């Protein structure tokens, strides 16, 4: 069974500082991880992904790190901006044999001005 | 492209009423999903479909039904609305079974059952 856990339900950081959101996974049979961002009253949107053959992927202020030995994934936002305040999800890229895709609760990031 | 379109945006139902939440995508995606998000909670998968004519249950399917007669449409049916179904419903789609293909979400239907 493919499991990804976000152990921190919320995170608060000051504008301009770094935000670090974490995910841990139990099954190594992934080729990609994808992060999504969700604002209130909107559907989630794709943010950034990382391939299992890489340990880092960067897109502007967003960088995702993959530590395969620790089965740990993290998203860094530098510098954090108030507009980054949202809920962030790192679901397994797909589940089972039919695409059963579980999202979970995510991590709520609050960036204070 | 419109992407994923959900209708209606808002709806109030009385207990026991029925309704269909509509979802349509114009990206020719094979996979489609229905999620619900309760206040302060994450997204829970209700049903999903890997192609026309094929649907399967997710985490919380009770009280809902789906059909997938075309690639574009994936309606969600509530037969006997209950207060526990008060939630925001999101429809999503993605292309084939590729791990790096992201989900595309609609903007949701906010349903209140009183």
């Amino acid at each position: 069974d493919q499991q990804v856990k976000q152990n921190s339900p919320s995170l608060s950081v000051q504008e301009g500082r770094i935000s670090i959101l974490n995910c841990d996974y139990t099954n190594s049979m992934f080729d990609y991880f994808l992060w999504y961002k969700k604002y209130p009253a909107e559907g989630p949107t794709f943010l950034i992904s990382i391939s299992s053959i890489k340990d880092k992927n960067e897109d502007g202020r967003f960088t995702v790190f993959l530590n395969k030995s620790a089965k740990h994934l993290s998203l860094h936002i530098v510098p954090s901006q108030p507009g980054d305040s949202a809920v962030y999800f790192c679901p397994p890229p797909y589940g089972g044999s039919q695409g059963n895709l579980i999202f979970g609760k995510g991590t709520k990031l609050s960036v204070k001005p | 492209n419109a992407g994923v379109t959900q209708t209606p945006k808002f709806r109030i139902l009385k207990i026991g009423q029925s309704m269909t939440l509509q979802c349509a995508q114009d990206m020719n995606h094979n996979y489609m999903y229905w999620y619900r998000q309760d206040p302060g909670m994450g997204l829970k998968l209700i049903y999903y479909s890997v192609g026309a004519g094929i649907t399967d249950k997710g985490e919380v399917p009770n009280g809902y039904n789906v059909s997938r007669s075309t690639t574009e449409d994936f309606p969600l049916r509530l037969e006997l609305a209950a207060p526990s179904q008060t939630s925001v419903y999101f429809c999503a789609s993605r292309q084939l079974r590729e791990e790096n293909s992201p989900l595309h979400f609609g903007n949701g239907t906010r349903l209140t059952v009183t």
Side-chain angles (χ1 to χ4, degrees):
Chain A
D1 190 23
Q2 298 179 351
Q3 293 286 336
V4 180
K5 291 186 178 180
Q6 293 179 260
N7 295 318
S8 298
S10 63
L11 175 68
S12 182
V13 300
Q14 205 67 32
E15 180 179 5
R17 306 296 290 268
I18 185 171
S19 295
I20 301 176
L21 297 91
N22 297 300
C23 290
D24 295 305
Y25 59 95
T26 56
N27 189 318
S28 300
M29 299 299 290
F30 297 116
D31 288 329
Y32 285 90
F33 279 98
L34 286 75
W35 283 89
Y36 295 81
K37 179 168 72 173
K38 184 185 181 304
Y39 293 117
E42 294 182 11
T45 55
F46 168 68
L47 181 61
I48 190 171
S49 65
I50 186 167
S51 166
S52 62
I53 64 173
K54 296 185 176 181
D55 53 17
K56 175 183 174 181
N57 187 30
E58 188 173 353
D59 184 1
R61 296 184 298 111
F62 301 89
T63 302
V64 57
F65 295 92
L66 179 61
N67 183 332
K68 290 182 282 294
S69 61
K71 297 185 179 179
H72 182 78
L73 188 71
S74 63
L75 174 68
H76 293 208
I77 307 173
V78 183
S80 301
Q81 299 174 354
D84 297 328
S85 297
V87 178
Y88 291 79
F89 298 93
C90 60
Y94 71 95
S97 61
Q98 296 283 353
N100 186 348
L101 191 57
I102 306 297
F103 258 68
K105 295 184 179 181
T107 297
K108 183 176 182 180
L109 173 65
S110 299
V111 181
K112 301 186 184 305
Chain B
N1 285 343
V4 178
T5 302
Q6 291 185 239
T7 56
K9 287 185 169 52
F10 304 94
R11 183 73 185 268
I12 298 174
L13 283 180
K14 294 188 185 304
I15 295 172
Q17 287 185 320
S18 62
M19 77 163 293
T20 299
L21 284 69
Q22 301 291 345
C23 175
Q25 52 91 9
D26 61 359
M27 297 171 284
N28 200 33
H29 285 173
N30 298 80
Y31 282 56
M32 295 189 75
Y33 304 80
W34 273 106
Y35 293 89
R36 60 177 285 176
Q37 184 178 33
D38 299 331
M41 303 295 286
L43 294 168
K44 288 191 177 293
L45 181 63
I46 305 172
Y47 270 96
Y48 65 99
S49 169
V50 301
I54 305 170
T55 62
D56 209 345
K57 297 177 180 178
E59 300 172 274
V60 289
N62 291 344
Y64 306 94
N65 280 301
V66 293
S67 59
R68 184 96 182 271
S69 57
T70 67
T71 299
E72 295 78 19
D73 300 297
F74 191 39
L76 179 71
R77 178 82 177 164
L78 283 71
E79 291 294 350
L80 291 170
S84 61
Q85 294 178 305
T86 293
S87 190
V88 181
Y89 292 83
F90 292 100
C91 179
S93 71
R94 66 185 292 190
Q95 181 62 280
L96 294 178
R97 186 179 162 229
E98 296 172 356
E99 288 197 16
N100 62 334
S101 62
L103 265 71
H104 298 256
F105 282 83
N107 279 327
T109 294
R110 184 175 296 274
L111 175 67
T112 302
V113 182
T114 61

